Amino acid sequence: MQPTPLKLKSRRPAHSGQADYTQPSSDQGFLVFDQVSKSFPTAKGRFPVLENVNLSIQQGEFVCFIGHSGCGKSTLLSLVSGFQQATQGSVTLNGQPILKPGPDRMVVFQNYALLPWRTVFENVYLAVKSVWPNKPEAQKRAIVRDHLAMVGLTEAADKRPDQISGGMRQRVSIARALSIRPEVLILDEPFGALDAITKEELQEELLKIWNDHRCTVLMITHDIDEALFLADRLVMMTNGPAAGIGEVMNIPFERPRDRDQIMEDPQYYQLRNHALDFLYNRFAHDES
Ligand SMILES: Nc1ncnc2c1ncn2[C@@H]1O[C@H](COP(=O)(O)OP(=O)(O)OP(=O)(O)O)[C@@H](O)[C@H]1O
């Protein structure tokens, strides 16, 4: 039997090969990169990592970033977290330039970044307390409990990070990040260190949470299938130095998504092959 193609959203044209990033000087997006360049000082002079990046992201969008190792994905998102500043151009959130880190933008890293001597509960509680020191104690603890329940970790609340699996640790990091209700959730290869089954489980949980809470998500990944399952758009970056956005692919599958169903859609393989072609032919990594 022929698979039934999925109904596609008409919100944006399906991927057509042309970049849909914006002309940000007149753009009213929620999160806007406007002519952004970033270089670092080195002993041999300045090293240009990013050049002329323009991108506009809408509130509540799920955007994945892909590109070869070292092209500048983490640097680009560190301009959103506020850990780094652009050398030229601006990154604005709600029309305000991002100048430093803040609780409206939370980052989840591949290596979890949990406090090893604290319990799961305490790791989340400390974040909640730092953002809402004056909330009543019972309310702070309820927020922690709710977010641990959201990622299925109620039973593990009193364990330390070394007493739980990698997948559980990453759930704690996600619960911690979401517990303070950020406007933007930045995920830097969050599932890169996990086995395939745990990774798929967490992708599904993340989508469910995002469906319920709709913050804007920016996620770095090396996995095209992960991006096709999760994202509204896939930003494909050119190679560095002086990397930029090569293309932005719209991912038109209707939500809520079902992994098996989207993989039966002929468009899935067109999009996948297009991204593979971008990475391995048009912008193949030059090892030299
Ligand atoms: N603080 C810094 N000083 C100098 N160079 C830096 C600094 N931070 C990053 N770089 C360089 O910028 C380039 C981009 O690094 P970045 O970590 O953003 O890449 P990436 O695409 O996220 O890589 P990966 O996929 O391997 O994590 C690299 O060449 C890196 O060495």
Side-chain angles (χ1 to χ4, degrees):
M1 200 176 81
Q2 285 293 315
T4 319
L6 290 174
K7 270 195 289 164
L8 300 175
K9 285 183 188 172
S10 58
R11 193 155 54 99
R12 292 192 194 91
H15 153 70
S16 59
Q18 90 276 23
D20 71 346
Y21 43 93
T22 60
Q23 314 299 321
S25 34
S26 60
D27 191 272
Q28 301 299 314
F30 172 66
L31 174 63
V32 179
F33 297 83
D34 189 1
Q35 295 288 104
V36 168
S37 298
K38 174 70 183 173
S39 60
F40 289 107
T42 69
K44 295 185 190 158
R46 293 201 74 86
F47 177 71
V49 177
L50 300 168
E51 202 163 86
N52 285 334
V53 173
N54 291 311
L55 181 67
S56 175
I57 293 172
Q58 299 307 312
Q59 190 158 25
E61 242 193 305
F62 197 129
V63 182
C64 279
F65 294 79
I66 207 161
H68 289 290
S69 187
C71 73
K73 301 177 294 297
S74 298
T75 303
L76 185 67
L77 296 199
S78 72
L79 304 177
V80 180
S81 60
F83 293 131
Q84 305 273 1
Q85 300 289 306
T87 316
Q88 276 173 22
S90 66
V91 185
T92 54
L93 182 66
N94 274 321
Q96 299 300 313
I98 295 174
L99 302 174
K100 57 179 188 193
D104 52 344
R105 289 151 283 134
M106 284 300 286
V107 190
V108 172
F109 297 102
Q110 183 181 118
N111 63 2
Y112 326 117
L114 299 174
L115 299 173
W117 61 92
R118 298 284 193 170
T119 65
V120 163
F121 186 95
E122 288 165 348
N123 265 281
V124 181
Y125 176 84
L126 288 172
V128 173
K129 189 174 146 200
S130 71
V131 175
W132 295 300
N134 301 324
K135 262 194 203 299
E137 191 58 24
Q139 223 174 52
K140 285 188 283 219
R141 299 182 74 82
I143 293 171
V144 178
R145 279 197 300 274
D146 286 351
H147 285 81
L148 289 181
M150 189 191 281
V151 295
L153 281 184
T154 300
E155 304 298 317
D158 296 326
K159 297 211 154 90
R160 284 195 319 273
D162 64 346
Q163 297 171 314
I164 58 177
S165 69
M168 290 164 89
R169 274 178 236 156
Q170 200 52 294
R171 287 188 171 92
V172 180
S173 306
I174 292 170
R176 179 177 60 180
L178 291 172
S179 67
I180 62 166
R181 286 279 169 270
E183 290 198 71
V184 182
L185 179 64
I186 299 163
L187 303 166
D188 194 341
E189 271 194 83
F191 309 141
L194 304 176
D195 65 86
I197 293 173
T198 309
K199 182 171 168 171
E200 289 197 357
E201 274 173 17
L202 275 181
Q203 288 167 353
E204 272 154 36
E205 276 175 31
L206 176 66
L207 262 197
K208 225 163 86 218
I209 292 169
W210 176 78
N211 264 325
D212 294 344
H213 299 277
R214 278 304 157 121
C215 58
T216 305
V217 179
L218 312 179
M219 175 170 170
I220 295 174
T221 180
H222 284 280
D223 179 344
I224 295 170
D225 294 301
E226 178 167 85
L228 289 175
F229 180 53
L230 296 175
D232 293 312
R233 287 192 291 165
L234 174 59
V235 173
M236 295 186 275
M237 295 186 59
T238 61
N239 295 335
I245 294 177
E247 199 175 300
V248 181
M249 178 192 272
N250 294 323
I251 302 174
F253 305 121
E254 204 170 57
R255 296 182 188 273
R257 288 181 184 166
D258 175 277
R259 196 187 303 270
D260 294 337
Q261 209 185 356
I262 66 169
M263 287 176 85
E264 281 176 4
D265 191 305
Q267 262 209 98
Y268 186 88
Y269 291 95
Q270 285 167 17
L271 297 172
R272 191 174 192 277
N273 288 339
H274 189 84
L276 285 170
D277 181 57
F278 178 94
L279 287 174
Y280 298 108
N281 293 321
R282 289 164 57 206
F283 289 94
H285 207 194
D286 177 4
E287 297 302 335
S288 65

